[in-house]
Amino acid sequence: MFRFLFISLVFSVLALVSCRNNPAKNQKDKVITVTILPQKYILSHLAGDKFRINVLIPEEANHETYEPTARQMIETGNSSAYFKVGHLDVEKSWLGKLSGSNPGLKIFNTSEGYNLMSGEAHEHNGHAHEGGTDPHIWLSVSGARCQADNILKALTLIDPGNTSYYQDNHLRFMASLDSLDKAIRNILVADKANCFMIYHPSLGYFARDYNLTQIPIEQEGKEPSPAYMKELIDIAREKKINTIFISSQFNKQNAVTIAGQLNARVEEFNPSSPDWSNNLISIARKIAGTGAMK
Ligand SMILES: [Zn+2]
């Protein structure tokens, strides 16, 4: 009798476990990990409800120095795929560990095929990311187009059954990027100034797309020396710079000091904002000096 009860108990527990496990396992399989929130913006437009999106770098964290937690590393390893930005230093440092412990993890580079700027070619900008590559493609419409193309390719590889769904979403998203690009051009066209200063140079591709010049305050990824600060103030005067960008995750003091010497505006923005398209519109308005206007 006891044996019978025990056996039926074991069977019902097994049945319960397998019922629970199947949907849970499928749910777990349907996760894609990305590095930053702007990638989530693009991916969610393309993937719709087909995947849950796991984001490694929180909105207020620094995208140059963030270290994922052990739990985040495990979640990434359990994902269907990992879509990296491509050239962020932090990705390089944690990807080795990640692929070492998850040899089967599919990793896609969302910057693949983009016309990247190298540190060498833009030496005057003082941009000094390791390997000389400017990683900030997500802060430009052209970069988002490239990321959307790469994401479409990746989605059709990992989930070929929904290819036409992803293709339709991609077409719609590309059309929305065309409108966004036009809106940004309309904001910038009225503006005479074509030069801005920024503490951490994350708007290089944005500047390239719209014929603007980005002058970084950061010197080789570090705080500028007093001599360089003096030089920057001279450059800013000469170029009649009236916008200096800072972001909350980076040092603000140097930008504030320069702005004080010049009577320039200090404009804050978040490179990791999840509200990606409005963030680009707001950057354009700040460069054009219409930042306070709606
Ligand atoms: Zn950066």
Side-chain angles (χ1 to χ4, degrees):
M1 179 65 184
F2 276 119
R3 180 171 291 179
F4 172 74
L5 266 179
F6 177 72
I7 288 170
S8 49
L9 194 73
V10 165
F11 272 104
S12 35
V13 166
L14 275 178
L16 211 79
V17 165
S18 62
C19 280
R20 278 224 186 119
N21 247 2
N22 281 341
K25 191 173 184 302
N26 288 341
Q27 190 60 33
K28 196 170 106 178
D29 285 342
K30 300 289 272 181
V31 176
I32 291 174
T33 296
V34 296
T35 305
I36 49 170
L37 283 155
Q39 285 178 294
K40 180 180 181 178
Y41 180 94
I42 304 172
L43 176 56
S44 64
H45 279 81
L46 267 67
D49 57 359
K50 306 292 180 202
F51 287 91
R52 200 158 61 72
I53 305 169
N54 176 42
V55 185
L56 287 175
I57 304 185
E59 186 177 349
E60 285 311 321
N62 182 316
H63 64 261
E64 298 292 339
T65 55
Y66 184 74
E67 282 293 330
T69 62
R71 194 196 162 88
Q72 284 185 304
M73 293 292 271
I74 293 166
E75 279 168 359
T76 306
N78 287 337
S79 307
S80 298
Y82 172 40
F83 293 178
K84 61 176 181 172
V85 173
H87 297 276
L88 277 173
D89 287 347
V90 284
E91 290 176 330
K92 285 172 213 158
S93 75
W94 71 58
L95 266 170
K97 283 180 243 167
L98 199 61
S99 37
S101 45
N102 304 279
L105 179 66
K106 297 185 191 79
I107 299 168
F108 296 92
N109 174 6
T110 59
S111 296
E112 179 97 42
Y114 190 61
N115 180 13
L116 292 160
M117 297 194 292
S118 73
E120 285 75 38
H122 289 259
E123 227 166 7
H124 61 279
N125 278 356
H127 206 282
H129 280 277
E130 202 183 300
T133 303
D134 182 344
H136 307 98
I137 89 161
W138 73 89
L139 284 167
S140 69
V141 175
S142 61
R145 281 197 186 103
C146 167
Q147 291 191 294
D149 285 347
N150 285 317
I151 287 171
L152 173 65
K153 262 187 242 163
L155 287 172
T156 56
L157 276 173
I158 58 181
D159 184 23
N162 286 308
T163 296
S164 60
Y165 173 80
Y166 299 133
Q167 283 170 338
D168 288 350
N169 287 347
H170 175 264
L171 269 180
R172 253 195 305 275
F173 184 66
M174 290 308 232
S176 79
L177 290 184
D178 291 343
S179 316
L180 174 63
D181 189 52
K182 275 197 199 102
I184 293 172
R185 284 176 200 280
N186 282 338
I187 293 166
L188 292 170
V189 80
D191 183 45
K192 301 272 185 293
N194 57 5
C195 205
F196 61 90
M197 217 166 234
I198 185 166
Y199 182 73
H200 177 69
S202 59
L203 295 175
Y205 296 112
F206 186 92
R208 184 176 70 181
D209 283 358
Y210 305 113
N211 260 325
L212 309 165
T213 305
Q214 162 183 266
I215 300 175
I217 295 173
E218 210 180 47
Q219 202 180 11
E220 306 189 341
K222 295 185 188 76
E223 287 197 33
S225 66
Y228 189 55
M229 280 287 281
K230 202 178 162 294
E231 205 180 305
L232 281 171
I233 291 166
D234 291 342
I235 294 170
R237 273 210 185 99
E238 185 201 319
K239 305 231 180 227
K240 298 189 171 49
I241 282 174
N242 49 29
T243 310
I244 301 180
F245 280 105
I246 51 171
S247 48
S248 45
Q249 305 95 337
F250 294 87
N251 183 302
K252 300 174 191 177
Q253 195 45 53
N254 298 298
V256 172
T257 304
I258 295 174
Q261 302 259 340
L262 298 168
N263 239 345
R265 292 184 304 272
V266 175
E267 299 281 11
E268 189 155 353
F269 85 107
N270 181 3
S272 302
S273 171
D275 190 6
W276 178 81
S277 62
N278 284 328
N279 198 28
L280 290 199
I281 290 278
S282 139
I283 290 165
R285 285 197 177 125
K286 285 168 177 170
I287 292 170
T290 54
M293 283 162 58
K294 266 274 157 198

